[in-house]
Amino acid sequence: MKYQGVIFDLDGVICSTDHYHYLAWKALADRLGAYFDEEINNRLRGVSRMASLEIVLERYDGTLTQEEKEAAAEEKNDRYRELLKNMSPADLSAEVKETLDALRAKGLLLGIGSSSKNTRFILGQIGLGDYFDKISDGTNITRSKPDPEVFLKAAEYLGLEPKDCLVVEDAVAGIQAAIAAGMDSAAVGDAAKSDLATYRLHSFRDLLTCVE
């Protein structure tokens, strides 16, 4: 096997919560009177909550104190978590689950490397609460992608060297983080349009050919 472990981003890779993020940020932006649309929302992918708020506030005419910013970020997250309660195992595709099971059957360790502080809650909602060997997420990092911290910690938790890990990402910032971590990467979704990744996948199932 080329690798000993595979580290997955969560949103846009294992499942999709983009629409819920959009609705929660849009509600906050509307309350503040700041313009917000799908294009701006796409800029928030893989970005930490506070960094995302700063992007949202680019179209805000007023000024918020640090305390007000933290309250606004919490307001967004509360609304987002309420929306996430709508998620269920039906939000996990059969292709993703079958591919994960096949990777595990090959003896690979499986980890999560996500900037989201809601990672464990989301995994629980879609029926993968105890599935992954290790999880590195927004609760244990101080820097978001493209900084490699989340992936380096995931490798550390798995007990693996970076060179022995493959990262699966849908955001260019995530691919950049993998490169900075010294890890190969497999790109899906928007990231597959970039030539930065080691592999560009046409489907999640294609991941199986990358590890052999």
Side-chain angles (χ1 to χ4, degrees):
M1 302 294 288
K2 292 181 186 175
Y3 310 101
Q4 295 180 40
V6 184
I7 301 171
F8 300 86
D9 178 37
L10 178 60
D11 196 14
V13 176
I14 300 299
C15 62
S16 179
T17 64
D18 270 1
H19 185 60
Y20 298 132
H21 273 298
Y22 172 76
L23 291 175
W25 281 121
K26 184 73 166 66
L28 175 65
D30 287 349
R31 183 181 70 74
L32 293 172
Y35 178 77
F36 187 76
D37 60 17
E38 294 277 5
E39 186 174 340
I40 297 172
N41 190 63
N42 286 339
R43 292 174 57 199
L44 311 184
R45 296 174 66 187
V47 179
S48 71
R49 191 182 307 161
M50 293 306 293
S52 293
L53 177 63
E54 293 297 338
I55 292 173
V56 173
L57 292 177
E58 289 174 1
R59 304 293 289 270
Y60 175 57
D61 289 335
T63 303
L64 297 183
T65 65
Q66 185 59 33
E67 186 177 347
E68 288 171 332
K69 287 180 180 180
E70 290 171 2
E74 195 61 32
E75 174 187 335
K76 180 269 175 180
N77 192 54
D78 288 344
R79 186 180 296 269
Y80 175 59
R81 282 182 66 90
E82 279 300 310
L83 293 168
L84 289 179
K85 291 178 181 178
N86 295 314
M87 295 190 78
S88 73
D91 289 291
L92 176 65
S93 77
E95 179 184 358
V96 169
K97 184 58 165 62
E98 289 165 6
T99 303
L100 291 173
D101 289 343
L103 291 169
R104 173 152 285 159
K106 291 177 181 291
L108 289 157
L109 294 175
L110 306 180
I112 291 286
S114 169
S115 299
S116 174
K117 292 183 178 180
N118 295 300
T119 295
R120 293 176 189 274
F121 181 76
I122 294 169
L123 289 173
Q125 289 296 107
I126 64 174
L128 293 179
D130 299 315
Y131 187 87
F132 290 92
D133 295 298
K134 297 294 179 182
I135 294 173
S136 175
D137 61 16
T139 65
N140 61 252
I141 61 171
T142 58
R143 300 177 299 278
S144 20
K145 305 165 190 175
D147 190 280
E149 181 183 20
V150 71
F151 293 141
L152 290 173
K153 283 189 178 292
E156 178 187 342
Y157 295 161
L158 290 168
L160 300 177
E161 293 295 321
K163 65 180 177 59
D164 295 321
C165 298
L166 175 67
V167 165
V168 186
E169 262 284 356
D170 74 316
V172 171
I175 298 297
Q176 293 171 329
I179 293 170
M183 301 177 184
D184 282 356
S185 59
V188 298
D190 286 347
K193 300 172 187 174
S194 164
D195 59 2
L196 291 175
T198 313
Y199 313 98
R200 290 190 280 179
L201 309 184
H202 296 292
S203 70
F204 197 83
R205 189 178 292 109
D206 290 344
L207 189 56
L208 296 173
T209 64
C210 301
V211 300
E212 295 173 348

